[in-house]
Tab-separated table of all heavy atoms in Angstrom:
chain	number	residue	atom	x	y	z
A	35	PHE	N	8.574	-6.212	19.995
A	35	PHE	CA	8.262	-6.590	21.355
A	35	PHE	C	9.442	-7.455	21.882
A	35	PHE	O	9.944	-7.205	22.976
A	35	PHE	CB	6.965	-7.363	21.463
A	35	PHE	CG	6.686	-7.848	22.864
A	35	PHE	CD1	6.244	-7.068	23.800
A	35	PHE	CD2	6.917	-9.181	23.170
A	35	PHE	CE1	5.951	-7.489	25.069
A	35	PHE	CE2	6.703	-9.682	24.443
A	35	PHE	CZ	6.187	-8.834	25.426
A	36	ALA	N	9.908	-8.447	21.092
A	36	ALA	CA	11.028	-9.235	21.514
A	36	ALA	C	12.309	-8.387	21.587
A	36	ALA	O	13.076	-8.606	22.520
A	36	ALA	CB	11.168	-10.454	20.534
A	37	ARG	N	12.497	-7.492	20.629
A	37	ARG	CA	13.736	-6.691	20.686
A	37	ARG	C	13.749	-5.827	21.901
A	37	ARG	O	14.844	-5.620	22.534
A	37	ARG	CB	13.802	-5.820	19.386
A	37	ARG	CG	14.156	-6.570	18.154
A	37	ARG	CD	14.155	-5.671	16.904
A	37	ARG	NE	15.173	-4.656	17.017
A	37	ARG	CZ	16.419	-4.795	16.574
A	37	ARG	NH1	16.850	-5.956	16.127
A	37	ARG	NH2	17.267	-3.762	16.633
A	38	ARG	N	12.601	-5.229	22.288
A	38	ARG	CA	12.577	-4.430	23.504
A	38	ARG	C	12.915	-5.254	24.765
A	38	ARG	O	13.626	-4.850	25.653
A	38	ARG	CB	11.191	-3.778	23.658
A	38	ARG	CG	10.937	-2.629	22.733
A	38	ARG	CD	9.712	-1.827	23.202
A	38	ARG	NE	8.558	-2.606	23.293
A	38	ARG	CZ	7.697	-2.796	22.266
A	38	ARG	NH1	7.929	-2.265	21.072
A	38	ARG	NH2	6.591	-3.538	22.426
A	39	ARG	N	12.444	-6.527	24.803
A	39	ARG	CA	12.711	-7.359	25.917
A	39	ARG	C	14.251	-7.693	25.980
A	39	ARG	O	14.763	-7.939	27.084
A	39	ARG	CB	11.945	-8.668	25.788
A	39	ARG	CG	10.438	-8.539	25.869
A	39	ARG	CD	9.994	-8.145	27.254
A	39	ARG	NE	10.283	-9.164	28.237
A	39	ARG	CZ	9.458	-10.146	28.540
A	39	ARG	NH1	8.256	-10.151	27.995
A	39	ARG	NH2	9.759	-11.006	29.484
A	40	CYS	N	14.864	-7.636	24.835
A	40	CYS	CA	16.322	-7.903	24.785
A	40	CYS	C	17.168	-6.587	24.919
A	40	CYS	O	18.396	-6.608	24.766
A	40	CYS	CB	16.704	-8.601	23.501
A	40	CYS	SG	15.952	-10.265	23.361
A	41	GLY	N	16.500	-5.454	25.105
A	41	GLY	CA	17.234	-4.165	25.221
A	41	GLY	C	17.668	-3.594	23.922
A	41	GLY	O	18.575	-2.725	23.884
A	42	LEU	N	17.072	-4.030	22.825
A	42	LEU	CA	17.486	-3.520	21.463
A	42	LEU	C	16.615	-2.443	20.981
A	42	LEU	O	15.449	-2.325	21.330
A	42	LEU	CB	17.479	-4.707	20.501
A	42	LEU	CG	18.377	-5.906	20.742
A	42	LEU	CD1	18.159	-7.029	19.770
A	42	LEU	CD2	19.859	-5.458	20.786
A	43	ARG	N	17.135	-1.598	20.085
A	43	ARG	CA	16.420	-0.494	19.563
A	43	ARG	C	15.338	-0.930	18.580
A	43	ARG	O	15.385	-2.067	18.009
A	43	ARG	CB	17.326	0.476	18.858
A	43	ARG	CG	18.281	1.230	19.761
A	43	ARG	CD	19.328	2.012	18.939
A	43	ARG	NE	18.734	2.991	18.083
A	43	ARG	CZ	18.747	4.257	18.324
A	43	ARG	NH1	19.349	4.775	19.346
A	43	ARG	NH2	18.185	5.161	17.537
A	44	TYR	N	14.368	-0.057	18.290
A	44	TYR	CA	13.311	-0.359	17.295
A	44	TYR	C	13.916	-0.524	15.943
A	44	TYR	O	14.861	0.255	15.543
A	44	TYR	CB	12.280	0.847	17.305
A	44	TYR	CG	11.264	0.630	16.270
A	44	TYR	CD1	10.153	-0.132	16.477
A	44	TYR	CD2	11.341	1.268	14.997
A	44	TYR	CE1	9.164	-0.317	15.488
A	44	TYR	CE2	10.382	1.113	14.027
A	44	TYR	CZ	9.266	0.286	14.258
A	44	TYR	OH	8.355	0.132	13.322
A	45	TRP	N	13.416	-1.498	15.221
A	45	TRP	CA	13.844	-1.793	13.849
A	45	TRP	C	12.615	-2.203	13.061
A	45	TRP	O	11.820	-3.018	13.474
A	45	TRP	CB	14.869	-2.842	13.783
A	45	TRP	CG	15.359	-3.229	12.417
A	45	TRP	CD1	16.264	-2.509	11.618
A	45	TRP	CD2	14.971	-4.356	11.589
A	45	TRP	NE1	16.436	-3.103	10.400
A	45	TRP	CE2	15.711	-4.254	10.390
A	45	TRP	CE3	14.153	-5.387	11.810
A	45	TRP	CZ2	15.574	-5.189	9.409
A	45	TRP	CZ3	14.012	-6.377	10.870
A	45	TRP	CH2	14.687	-6.220	9.664
A	46	SER	N	12.449	-1.563	11.850
A	46	SER	CA	11.238	-1.793	11.088
A	46	SER	C	11.450	-2.924	10.121
A	46	SER	O	12.067	-2.784	9.075
A	46	SER	CB	10.799	-0.472	10.330
A	46	SER	OG	9.683	-0.793	9.546
A	47	LEU	N	10.767	-4.053	10.395
A	47	LEU	CA	10.745	-5.148	9.530
A	47	LEU	C	9.958	-4.791	8.243
A	47	LEU	O	10.374	-5.209	7.135
A	47	LEU	CB	10.145	-6.367	10.183
A	47	LEU	CG	9.799	-7.599	9.273
A	47	LEU	CD1	11.097	-8.216	8.757
A	47	LEU	CD2	8.985	-8.645	10.056
A	48	ALA	N	8.830	-4.116	8.449
A	48	ALA	CA	8.006	-3.721	7.283
A	48	ALA	C	8.784	-2.846	6.274
A	48	ALA	O	8.739	-3.035	5.052
A	48	ALA	CB	6.755	-2.981	7.774
A	49	GLU	N	9.570	-1.887	6.812
A	49	GLU	CA	10.309	-1.031	5.880
A	49	GLU	C	11.397	-1.809	5.218
A	49	GLU	O	11.629	-1.614	4.005
A	49	GLU	CB	10.925	0.117	6.706
A	49	GLU	CG	11.650	1.153	5.845
A	49	GLU	CD	12.104	2.313	6.666
A	49	GLU	OE1	11.827	2.448	7.861
A	49	GLU	OE2	12.764	3.243	6.063
A	50	PHE	N	12.038	-2.733	5.889
A	50	PHE	CA	13.097	-3.563	5.293
A	50	PHE	C	12.530	-4.363	4.144
A	50	PHE	O	13.104	-4.429	3.038
A	50	PHE	CB	13.692	-4.473	6.321
A	50	PHE	CG	14.680	-5.518	5.759
A	50	PHE	CD1	15.947	-5.183	5.534
A	50	PHE	CD2	14.261	-6.812	5.565
A	50	PHE	CE1	16.867	-6.117	4.986
A	50	PHE	CE2	15.108	-7.771	5.079
A	50	PHE	CZ	16.404	-7.399	4.756
A	51	LEU	N	11.361	-5.043	4.386
A	51	LEU	CA	10.779	-5.878	3.297
A	51	LEU	C	10.331	-4.987	2.083
A	51	LEU	O	10.520	-5.448	0.960
A	51	LEU	CB	9.639	-6.636	3.877
A	51	LEU	CG	9.957	-7.683	4.930
A	51	LEU	CD1	8.725	-8.362	5.486
A	51	LEU	CD2	10.876	-8.807	4.336
A	52	LYS	N	9.748	-3.855	2.379
A	52	LYS	CA	9.320	-3.024	1.215
A	52	LYS	C	10.499	-2.557	0.420
A	52	LYS	O	10.401	-2.451	-0.801
A	52	LYS	CB	8.584	-1.788	1.755
A	52	LYS	CG	7.155	-2.126	2.226
A	52	LYS	CD	6.240	-0.911	2.287
A	52	LYS	CE	6.689	0.084	3.298
A	52	LYS	NZ	5.724	1.263	3.444
A	53	ARG	N	11.652	-2.279	1.049
A	53	ARG	CA	12.789	-1.837	0.302
A	53	ARG	C	13.347	-2.922	-0.585
A	53	ARG	O	14.087	-2.650	-1.544
A	53	ARG	CB	13.862	-1.264	1.269
A	53	ARG	CG	13.530	0.082	1.853
A	53	ARG	CD	14.599	0.680	2.643
A	53	ARG	NE	14.253	1.938	3.247
A	53	ARG	CZ	14.214	3.141	2.596
A	53	ARG	NH1	14.580	3.178	1.327
A	53	ARG	NH2	13.842	4.205	3.247
A	54	HIS	N	12.999	-4.170	-0.273
A	54	HIS	CA	13.495	-5.300	-1.062
A	54	HIS	C	12.385	-5.867	-1.981
A	54	HIS	O	12.544	-7.020	-2.472
A	54	HIS	CB	14.067	-6.365	-0.148
A	54	HIS	CG	15.313	-6.017	0.489
A	54	HIS	ND1	15.441	-5.154	1.593
A	54	HIS	CD2	16.647	-6.335	0.187
A	54	HIS	CE1	16.703	-4.984	1.932
A	54	HIS	NE2	17.418	-5.663	1.114
A	55	SER	N	11.391	-5.103	-2.126
A	55	SER	CA	10.245	-5.512	-3.039
A	55	SER	C	10.225	-4.602	-4.225
A	55	SER	O	10.008	-3.460	-4.139
A	55	SER	CB	8.918	-5.494	-2.243
A	55	SER	OG	7.864	-5.502	-3.220
A	56	GLY	N	10.398	-5.269	-5.428
A	56	GLY	CA	10.374	-4.433	-6.666
A	56	GLY	C	8.955	-3.797	-6.844
A	56	GLY	O	8.922	-2.655	-7.329
A	57	ALA	N	7.930	-4.498	-6.536
A	57	ALA	CA	6.587	-3.896	-6.778
A	57	ALA	C	6.371	-2.728	-5.849
A	57	ALA	O	5.794	-1.702	-6.263
A	57	ALA	CB	5.525	-5.013	-6.445
A	58	ALA	N	6.778	-2.841	-4.554
A	58	ALA	CA	6.640	-1.712	-3.639
A	58	ALA	C	7.450	-0.512	-4.108
A	58	ALA	O	6.991	0.623	-4.002
A	58	ALA	CB	7.085	-2.138	-2.217
A	59	GLU	N	8.663	-0.763	-4.564
A	59	GLU	CA	9.530	0.363	-4.993
A	59	GLU	C	8.913	1.052	-6.283
A	59	GLU	O	9.019	2.275	-6.367
A	59	GLU	CB	10.950	-0.119	-5.293
A	59	GLU	CG	11.717	-0.569	-4.079
A	59	GLU	CD	11.902	0.541	-3.098
A	59	GLU	OE1	12.266	1.628	-3.516
A	59	GLU	OE2	11.640	0.336	-1.907
A	60	ARG	N	8.359	0.269	-7.216
A	60	ARG	CA	7.724	0.886	-8.315
A	60	ARG	C	6.483	1.696	-7.909
A	60	ARG	O	6.248	2.803	-8.444
A	60	ARG	CB	7.286	-0.173	-9.324
A	60	ARG	CG	8.485	-0.867	-10.034
A	60	ARG	CD	8.005	-1.755	-11.174
A	60	ARG	NE	7.261	-2.913	-10.697
A	60	ARG	CZ	7.787	-4.052	-10.325
A	60	ARG	NH1	9.165	-4.208	-10.343
A	60	ARG	NH2	7.042	-5.053	-9.961
A	61	TYR	N	5.712	1.176	-6.907
A	61	TYR	CA	4.572	1.959	-6.459
A	61	TYR	C	5.010	3.303	-5.832
A	61	TYR	O	4.410	4.378	-6.078
A	61	TYR	CB	3.786	1.138	-5.430
A	61	TYR	CG	2.854	1.938	-4.589
A	61	TYR	CD1	1.685	2.473	-5.091
A	61	TYR	CD2	3.158	2.198	-3.251
A	61	TYR	CE1	0.770	3.199	-4.317
A	61	TYR	CE2	2.240	2.950	-2.477
A	61	TYR	CZ	1.117	3.475	-2.973
A	61	TYR	OH	0.281	4.203	-2.235
A	62	ILE	N	6.073	3.222	-5.005
A	62	ILE	CA	6.525	4.427	-4.362
A	62	ILE	C	7.072	5.447	-5.363
A	62	ILE	O	6.850	6.637	-5.286
A	62	ILE	CB	7.595	4.106	-3.335
A	62	ILE	CG1	6.949	3.310	-2.150
A	62	ILE	CG2	8.370	5.317	-2.816
A	62	ILE	CD1	7.916	2.638	-1.231
A	63	ALA	N	7.763	4.939	-6.409
A	63	ALA	CA	8.283	5.818	-7.410
A	63	ALA	C	7.134	6.549	-8.198
A	63	ALA	O	7.239	7.785	-8.508
A	63	ALA	CB	9.094	4.994	-8.413
A	64	ARG	N	6.011	5.870	-8.403
A	64	ARG	CA	4.859	6.505	-9.049
A	64	ARG	C	4.286	7.517	-8.160
A	64	ARG	O	3.827	8.594	-8.630
A	64	ARG	CB	3.790	5.421	-9.389
A	64	ARG	CG	4.182	4.419	-10.525
A	64	ARG	CD	2.966	3.677	-11.026
A	64	ARG	NE	2.270	2.927	-10.014
A	64	ARG	CZ	2.531	1.658	-9.644
A	64	ARG	NH1	3.532	1.037	-10.223
A	64	ARG	NH2	1.847	1.063	-8.680
A	65	PHE	N	4.213	7.285	-6.841
A	65	PHE	CA	3.633	8.230	-5.910
A	65	PHE	C	4.499	9.480	-5.886
A	65	PHE	O	3.995	10.593	-5.860
A	65	PHE	CB	3.584	7.580	-4.562
A	65	PHE	CG	2.983	8.488	-3.464
A	65	PHE	CD1	1.629	8.505	-3.252
A	65	PHE	CD2	3.812	9.271	-2.715
A	65	PHE	CE1	1.094	9.347	-2.295
A	65	PHE	CE2	3.273	10.153	-1.771
A	65	PHE	CZ	1.890	10.131	-1.557
A	66	VAL	N	5.832	9.354	-5.784
A	66	VAL	CA	6.754	10.492	-5.741
A	66	VAL	C	6.580	11.298	-7.045
A	66	VAL	O	6.432	12.515	-6.904
A	66	VAL	CB	8.196	9.971	-5.666
A	66	VAL	CG1	9.196	11.189	-5.816
A	66	VAL	CG2	8.446	9.348	-4.280
A	67	GLU	N	6.468	10.649	-8.127
A	67	GLU	CA	6.301	11.382	-9.353
A	67	GLU	C	5.034	12.157	-9.447
A	67	GLU	O	4.934	13.313	-9.867
A	67	GLU	CB	6.329	10.420	-10.544
A	67	GLU	CG	6.224	11.093	-11.965
A	67	GLU	CD	6.360	10.121	-13.088
A	67	GLU	OE1	6.420	8.909	-12.846
A	67	GLU	OE2	6.388	10.583	-14.283
A	68	ALA	N	3.910	11.514	-8.974
A	68	ALA	CA	2.575	12.203	-8.906
A	68	ALA	C	2.638	13.395	-7.981
A	68	ALA	O	2.088	14.490	-8.300
A	68	ALA	CB	1.505	11.203	-8.433
A	69	GLY	N	3.302	13.298	-6.791
A	69	GLY	CA	3.330	14.356	-5.926
A	69	GLY	C	4.174	15.544	-6.428
A	69	GLY	O	3.743	16.706	-6.311
A	70	VAL	N	5.337	15.203	-6.981
A	70	VAL	CA	6.192	16.332	-7.519
A	70	VAL	C	5.513	17.008	-8.668
A	70	VAL	O	5.556	18.214	-8.827
A	70	VAL	CB	7.562	15.695	-7.960
A	70	VAL	CG1	8.339	16.694	-8.764
A	70	VAL	CG2	8.343	15.257	-6.720
């Protein structure tokens, strides 16, 4: 909301934090393996 008020593009804080979480990355790796 603040970025839009400043004329900035959308940026995902949630995605940034997940990519820097070891637990989240391990969960995603298990999901990818299960799907494949």
Side-chain angles (χ1 to χ4, degrees):
F35 174 79
R37 286 177 64 87
R38 284 195 302 273
R39 295 291 295 270
C40 296
L42 299 175
R43 292 171 62 106
Y44 176 82
W45 179 77
S46 177
L47 170 65
E49 186 174 356
F50 172 81
L51 292 175
K52 284 200 297 186
R53 288 187 182 278
H54 289 78
S55 165
E59 291 299 313
R60 289 191 293 273
Y61 163 74
I62 290 167
R64 293 195 301 272
F65 182 88
V66 172
E67 183 177 3
V70 170

